[in-house]
Amino acid sequence: MALRRGVGLSFFLVLSILYLQDSYNGYSPPDNYLIDCGSSIDTTVGGRVFLADNSAASKFLSTPQDELASSPSNSTGDSSLYRTARVFTGSTKYSFPITQKGRHWIRLHFSPFSYNSYNMSTANFAVSSQGFVLLNSFTATATVVKEFSLNITSSSLVVEFKPLGNSFSFLNAIEVVSVPDELIQDDAYALPSGNFQGLLRETLETVYRVNMGGPTVSPENDTLWRTWVPDVGFLVRESLTKAVSNIRAVNYVTDGPSHNIAPSTVYGTLREMDSASDPNSNFNVTWQFNVDLGFRYLIRFHFCDIVSKSLNQLYFNVYVDSSTAVSNLDLSTKTFNVLAAPYYLDLVTGLTDKTSIRVSMGPTTENVVYPNAILNGLEIMKMNNSVGSFSGDSSAVPSGSTSKSSIGSIVGSSIGGIIALVLIGVLFVCCQKRRRRLTRQGLSKSWIPISINGGTSLTLGSKYSSRTTASVASTLGYRIPFVAVQEATNNFDESWVIGIGGFGKVYRGELADGTKVAVKRGNPKSQQGLAEFQTEIEMLSQFRHRHLVSLIGYCDERNEMILVYEYMEKGTLKSHLYGSGLPNLSWKERLEICIGAARGLHYLHTGYAKAVIHRDVKSANILLNENLMAKVADFGLSKAGPELDQTHVSTAVKGSFGYLDPEYFRRQQLTEKSDVYSFGVVLFEVLCARPVIDPTLPRERVNLAEWAIKCQKNGQLEKIIDPTLAGKIRRDSLRKFSETAEKCLADYGVDRPPMGDVLWNLEYALQLQEAVPQGDQEDNSGNMIGDLFPQSNNFSNMEAGNVSAVALEVEGRPADDGNMSDVSMNQVFSQLMKSEGR
Ligand SMILES: *[C@@H]1O[C@H](CO)[C@@H](O)[C@H](O)[C@H]1NC(C)=O
Ligand SMILES: *[C@@H]1O[C@H](CO)[C@@H](O)[C@H](O)[C@H]1NC(C)=O
Ligand SMILES: *[C@@H]1O[C@H](CO)[C@@H](O)[C@H](O)[C@H]1NC(C)=O
Ligand SMILES: *[C@@H]1O[C@H](CO)[C@@H](O)[C@H](O)[C@H]1NC(C)=O
Ligand SMILES: *[C@@H]1O[C@H](CO)[C@@H](O)[C@H](O)[C@H]1NC(C)=O
Ligand SMILES: *[C@@H]1O[C@H](CO)[C@@H](O)[C@H](O)[C@H]1NC(C)=O
């Protein structure tokens, strides 16, 4: 919700069309046969009517050599379906006319009790349908529901029950129900690698259907009347895990899984790592499921990130046994960048060579904000074996003889077992050969290349209708007609200029649909070449993140180079810290802004195959929207980076100077850690609310980074904190914050933390600020910093003392005079640099 409300962007309007809201209409199956066996009255369970089968429904029973049985007591279970049963002493068939071909579920309900001489717990029988052996040598000793799904291509479906030996068979209820086509797709990932194709033709038996971190979901709470069981019984080490529930957060998206794939009670609960106390946690959350040897299993993982506060925060690995099924899974990229949208993943195992399957989720070694891994739901479906059976002794498709001796059946089944093993071996070899390494769907880049001055211009209106299902991100970066830009900026009205830089002027504007924008119009004479302009559009379009200022469109008509960005109502972070007379930000607001900016940078560093270095991190490049949400700007256009706030345009070089990584000077080598350094300077700037270079101050104080580190080391940081924060920062929060800033300013890049750690620590500092113990009020100064504020930290009253030569030199030079220093500075701060991935 916040995503939609937060930003007045047409992009998000497009996204919001994707939301299904809660307008879900239930599925009504074309074929829907529900029979309460042995009952003389219809039975309603969870809103569905099971027909009594000694009346209307008896027409489905083709060979009624059976007895009605009814339980002498209510002891056989909670469901009224289970009070009656039908006992078959001979081979029996149920036949159902099929009105719509396709996948159907057969659900068989068994709940044994004793009736006359029939002790149903001892019944031994086989069930087959459409040539598949669903159950063989089956005995139900407790209430059990067996669910199979078959693609029915004929006009009737026959389910046959055959007693084995001298035994009999029984049944309490049967369902034959159409399955919506969306439920099973033809292809899946294959383990250990490659793709599996042909699921549409497979017959499946549901062996596990589990709601991770949540309660049992009963049929009435599932649009397809499925039962989901809790996961606790399958967890290997429950104590390492935590269950989370936030059902209302689930966002069904039209192109994503629907309620039929799994209900919100499944997507809205999950199990995650319980690592809150330790940022270095590294362990797997593992579940174990018993399975039969020699079968392939379809494993469906259900994910929905209801724990992250924003996109691209959660990366984790998915393992099945010792194979990595997916590494570095980032759900945001799978859900059209909608948070908490459901996503599922199908995976087909090889033939099982063990009697259990272990499913694990674990944190990744890279890209970690919080080490975490989640799973919302899991379904494990057995696939029929090569002879069309779900039972190990597969040859024994019962012949209908009720007098087969038990010895005969043992011999028969062991011979059958050998044949099956041979067949399995052959099949296994074939499958291995057939497997190809295919590039996995969804990992490919979804960016549609832009051709400059080629192709047709899109009108603004078309962005609302041109959405392709491939990816929302791919449709961004729209070409905007020049007339629309003219209109938006009141024909480049000089009074609408909000910034000037080497690249050209920045105007505020408003598009025809009311979207407020910032328009950067490239000066045709600027050094910024066409190719660079193109690269920047491409980069900006790829890096979509709520904490990066978004590109709305561009215009390249008439040799113009115009970029249109979302408008950031509240301007730069810098203007809210000092020099503008804007109201002071609270400590919490400052922390949240720093956290937002850190997220944006973390995404730049890790959100893409190659790390991207911003190269010009500073408070003037952190912009705030109307809700004070921070977004990092100018990461694609840093050449002579024009500021969006007019007041600091001419001080770009000076400003950036105070942020520059000293190691860059020494080694001429830029890494992500250079951004971390600059960000550390921003952190102190936020804490102290003073310019990073202030030549009017005594020499030792001119450079904020140096001065703050010195104070921090002497334990005197409190002296230089923004006086308006006096008494409002909790001591723990300040300590965490300043330690983090200090680490960012380490001399050597290797000693600085990655952006993910910085982010984590800032969030921790926010928690420490907000964690008010019971009965402890916000203004309890005992825990607060501020009693010791000296009068002397009013910097504006300081007299200019000995100013460092460097600072003077920088101060004395306008930003855009074309001398050599400017050129080198421009180079330092200019092009967006992609460093090779690690
Ligand atoms: C079984 O339960 C039903 C209602 O749930 C009740 O009417 C009936 O008397 C019970 N039968 C026995 C034998 O307890
Ligand atoms: C059933 O199988 C046929 C091929 O045998 C396939 O074309 C069809 O799409 C399948 N239907 C469903 C619902 O799986
Ligand atoms: C039915 O058979 C099961 C398993 O052999 C046995 O445990 C149970 O006691 C029997 N019940 C009756 C009523 O005989
Ligand atoms: C299932 O549905 C019933 C009402 O239909 C509701 O009271 C119950 O809370 C639901 N359970 C879950 C787990 O949502
Ligand atoms: C998680 O499980 C996988 C597969 O068994 C294993 O390779 C990996 O090392 C495990 N990770 C941890 C942190 O134990
Ligand atoms: C399941 O049975 C069908 C039809 O007999 C067969 O084509 C398919 O290969 C079988 N599946 C497996 C995994 O062997």
Side-chain angles (χ1 to χ4, degrees):
M1 290 309 273
L3 183 73
R4 274 191 293 161
R5 227 184 312 112
V7 192
L9 253 190
S10 46
F11 163 58
F12 290 115
L13 292 180
V14 178
L15 253 194
S16 63
I17 297 167
L18 292 175
Y19 284 89
L20 257 186
Q21 297 297 346
D22 290 327
S23 63
Y24 176 73
N25 297 316
Y27 169 73
S28 67
D31 289 310
N32 190 28
Y33 300 103
L34 310 173
I35 297 176
D36 183 4
C37 303
S39 177
S40 52
I41 49 160
D42 293 350
T43 306
T44 304
V45 177
R48 293 195 300 166
V49 179
F50 283 70
L51 298 176
D53 81 341
N54 66 347
S55 55
S58 64
K59 66 172 184 272
F60 301 120
L61 205 49
S62 59
T63 43
Q65 341 154 339
D66 60 275
E67 294 192 42
L68 299 177
S70 76
S71 166
S73 72
N74 283 352
S75 63
T76 53
D78 35 12
S79 172
S80 42
L81 278 181
Y82 300 154
R83 273 183 226 123
T84 59
R86 213 172 248 275
V87 170
F88 309 111
T89 53
S91 177
T92 308
K93 282 177 186 165
Y94 278 95
S95 306
F96 302 96
I98 293 301
T99 55
Q100 192 168 310
K101 292 175 185 171
R103 193 164 282 277
H104 286 66
W105 267 316
I106 299 174
R107 293 196 184 107
L108 305 172
H109 298 251
F110 302 101
S111 184
F113 55 88
S114 282
Y115 171 78
N116 292 347
S117 61
Y118 301 107
N119 180 349
M120 296 178 202
S121 306
T122 64
N124 184 240
F125 54 99
V127 181
S128 60
S129 179
Q130 312 296 101
F132 291 95
V133 180
L134 307 183
L135 298 169
N136 198 10
S137 240
F138 177 72
T139 297
T141 52
T143 299
V144 59
V145 180
K146 292 284 184 179
E147 182 186 277
F148 301 89
S149 82
L150 298 81
N151 181 353
I152 307 296
T153 50
S154 57
S155 59
S156 73
L157 188 158
V158 178
V159 185
E160 187 171 13
F161 289 77
K162 286 180 179 171
L164 296 182
N166 295 319
S167 193
F168 58 94
S169 60
F170 79 102
L171 182 66
N172 302 71
I174 181 170
E175 302 175 37
V176 171
V177 187
S178 302
V179 173
D181 288 345
E182 65 184 297
L183 205 66
I184 301 289
Q185 304 296 324
D186 201 43
D187 41 24
Y189 294 100
L191 268 182
S193 64
N195 274 19
F196 180 91
Q197 274 186 330
L199 275 183
L200 285 182
R201 289 187 305 275
E202 294 290 336
T203 296
L204 304 166
E205 178 189 354
T206 310
V207 286
Y208 296 101
R209 182 174 282 141
V210 186
N211 181 18
M212 269 63 195
T216 299
V217 177
S218 50
E220 56 265 40
N221 291 21
D222 181 290
T223 59
L224 302 178
W225 303 282
R226 290 163 296 201
T227 302
W228 303 73
V229 302
D231 67 326
V232 172
F234 305 104
L235 269 170
V236 173
R237 285 182 71 188
E238 189 192 345
S239 60
L240 292 177
T241 72
K242 210 164 64 180
V244 178
S245 171
N246 190 1
I247 290 166
R248 299 182 59 180
V250 180
N251 258 325
Y252 285 94
V253 165
T254 42
D255 292 322
S258 74
H259 290 73
N260 288 338
I261 301 296
S264 57
T265 41
V266 170
Y267 280 123
T269 64
L270 58 75
R271 192 164 293 278
E272 63 173 359
M273 291 172 64
D274 188 4
S275 55
S277 49
D278 182 6
N280 298 318
S281 298
N282 187 17
F283 57 85
N284 288 331
V285 181
T286 301
W287 297 261
Q288 182 165 322
F289 301 90
N290 293 334
V291 294
D292 292 333
L293 277 176
F295 285 88
R296 308 186 115 196
Y297 286 85
L298 167 62
I299 305 180
R300 174 168 291 186
F301 297 83
H302 295 275
F303 297 107
C304 183
D305 183 359
I306 53 166
V307 288
S308 291
K309 293 199 188 68
S310 68
L311 294 166
N312 309 107
Q313 278 202 344
L314 179 64
Y315 298 83
F316 58 96
N317 296 334
V318 180
Y319 308 98
V320 172
D321 293 327
S322 53
S323 311
T324 304
V326 187
S327 58
N328 274 316
L329 180 59
D330 176 6
L331 294 172
S332 309
T333 63
K334 304 285 186 186
T335 57
F336 309 107
N337 280 333
V338 176
L339 196 61
Y343 170 71
Y344 75 84
L345 184 102
D346 281 347
L347 209 141
V348 173
T349 66
L351 294 169
T352 43
D353 56 359
K354 289 201 294 275
T355 55
S356 66
I357 290 178
R358 285 167 80 101
V359 169
S360 306
M361 308 285 138
T364 60
T365 47
E366 40 189 294
N367 303 351
V368 173
V369 183
Y370 296 102
N372 201 2
I374 65 167
L375 184 61
N376 302 61
L378 189 78
E379 291 173 273
I380 300 185
M381 288 168 263
K382 194 181 195 178
M383 294 164 69
N384 64 268
N385 65 18
S386 53
V387 293
S389 175
F390 288 95
S391 182
D393 48 355
S394 48
S395 73
V397 180
S399 64
S401 147
T402 55
S403 59
K404 202 167 162 189
S405 81
S406 53
I407 290 175
S409 98
I410 289 168
V411 171
S413 63
S414 49
I415 291 173
I418 293 166
I419 295 171
L421 276 178
V422 172
L423 282 172
I424 285 165
V426 170
L427 186 83
F428 187 74
V429 170
C430 293
C431 288
Q432 293 291 340
K433 281 192 179 162
R434 218 164 49 108
R435 266 180 211 151
R436 289 154 300 166
R437 261 202 166 274
L438 293 174
T439 41
R440 291 193 164 178
Q441 202 183 349
L443 293 185
S444 63
K445 224 172 63 171
S446 54
W447 168 248
I448 295 170
I450 290 170
S451 71
I452 292 288
N453 292 327
T456 53
S457 285
L458 290 176
T459 65
L460 269 183
S462 70
K463 82 161 76 165
Y464 299 102
S465 54
S466 68
R467 187 176 61 81
T468 65
T469 53
S471 162
V472 168
S474 69
T475 61
L476 297 164
Y478 295 100
R479 186 178 282 126
I480 297 177
F482 185 71
V483 287
V485 182
Q486 269 180 314
E487 222 169 88
T489 55
N490 200 20
N491 199 15
F492 302 102
D493 190 328
E494 284 300 308
S495 67
W496 289 27
V497 170
I498 51 174
I500 302 172
F503 177 70
K505 288 178 179 166
V506 185
Y507 301 81
R508 91 186 132 79
E510 191 171 321
L511 298 178
D513 66 356
T515 310
K516 286 186 168 179
V517 291
V519 176
K520 276 187 188 174
R521 187 184 197 188
N523 176 355
K525 287 191 204 113
S526 87
Q527 297 136 333
Q528 182 125 8
L530 190 62
E532 232 169 286
F533 175 71
Q534 190 172 354
T535 315
E536 282 155 8
I537 294 169
E538 202 175 311
M539 300 303 289
L540 284 162
S541 304
Q542 280 173 17
F543 293 95
R544 289 257 144 209
H545 192 272
R546 63 195 308 230
H547 292 289
L548 299 179
V549 170
S550 331
L551 180 70
I552 288 179
Y554 66 96
C555 172
D556 56 0
E557 280 171 41
R558 311 183 193 182
N559 289 325
E560 290 279 353
M561 291 187 288
I562 295 172
L563 293 166
V564 180
Y565 299 90
E566 67 177 302
Y567 184 70
M568 299 294 285
E569 191 83 38
K570 295 254 164 91
T572 68
L573 166 61
K574 187 174 188 171
S575 66
H576 288 264
L577 293 175
Y578 48 87
S580 66
L582 290 171
N584 297 310
L585 297 169
S586 72
W587 181 235
K588 183 172 174 238
E589 283 168 337
R590 294 184 204 203
L591 282 173
E592 282 169 348
I593 289 166
C594 292
I595 287 169
R599 284 208 181 110
L601 289 173
H602 173 61
Y603 174 75
L604 270 188
H605 290 178
T606 61
Y608 191 56
K610 285 177 181 171
V612 169
I613 302 168
H614 186 291
R615 303 185 72 174
D616 199 8
V617 175
K618 54 184 176 180
S619 58
N621 276 343
I622 295 170
L623 305 184
L624 306 174
N625 77 1
E626 66 275 22
N627 302 321
L628 288 179
M629 186 166 103
K631 300 191 181 210
V632 178
D634 266 7
F635 52 95
L637 274 186
S638 44
K639 184 151 212 164
E643 317 295 335
L644 285 185
D645 64 331
Q646 208 167 0
T647 51
H648 296 97
V649 169
S650 60
T651 62
V653 172
K654 183 179 85 173
S656 299
F657 187 72
Y659 297 95
L660 195 60
D661 172 8
E663 195 180 30
Y664 174 71
F665 276 140
R666 284 198 301 269
R667 301 180 52 200
Q668 306 291 307
Q669 220 176 44
L670 269 177
T671 68
E672 296 101 295
K673 295 297 179 66
S674 301
D675 283 351
V676 173
Y677 182 92
S678 308
F679 190 70
V681 180
V682 172
L683 293 181
F684 277 124
E685 199 181 353
V686 163
L687 183 66
C688 306
R690 55 152 278 191
V692 294
I693 299 282
D694 187 345
T696 64
L697 292 174
R699 185 186 193 115
E700 57 171 7
R701 301 183 180 188
V702 166
N703 183 316
L704 172 63
E706 283 169 17
W707 176 230
I709 287 293
K710 197 169 191 176
C711 294
Q712 164 89 346
K713 292 215 160 98
N714 299 338
Q716 294 192 306
L717 191 65
E718 293 174 13
K719 284 203 317 196
I720 63 165
I721 292 175
D722 179 1
T724 68
L725 294 173
K728 293 181 183 133
I729 309 184
R730 298 185 69 86
R731 206 171 284 274
D732 288 347
S733 179
L734 175 68
R735 190 183 310 121
K736 193 84 218 161
F737 184 89
S738 53
E739 278 172 11
T740 307
E742 186 185 358
K743 281 183 195 149
C744 291
L745 296 184
D747 276 344
Y748 295 93
V750 289
D751 299 330
R752 297 173 204 148
M755 219 49 223
D757 287 5
V758 176
L759 173 54
W760 194 91
N761 279 295
L762 290 175
E763 291 191 322
Y764 192 49
L766 178 61
Q767 275 173 23
L768 291 172
Q769 177 69 15
E770 298 204 301
V772 181
Q774 289 288 313
D776 193 2
Q777 288 308 302
E778 194 61 20
D779 60 359
N780 181 342
S781 57
N783 259 335
M784 297 291 177
I785 304 301
D787 319 335
L788 318 161
F789 273 87
Q791 296 308 309
S792 63
N793 60 1
N794 189 345
F795 301 105
S796 53
N797 290 345
M798 287 267 174
E799 236 181 87
N802 296 322
V803 176
S804 88
V806 171
L808 262 185
E809 212 176 285
V810 172
E811 166 73 350
R813 177 168 295 142
D816 49 1
D817 66 355
N819 68 18
M820 206 188 79
S821 164
D822 180 49
V823 170
S824 64
M825 276 301 176
N826 272 343
Q827 278 166 354
V828 170
F829 299 114
S830 66
Q831 307 95 339
L832 184 76
M833 192 188 102
K834 285 165 106 179
S835 76
E836 290 303 317
R838 292 133 301 159

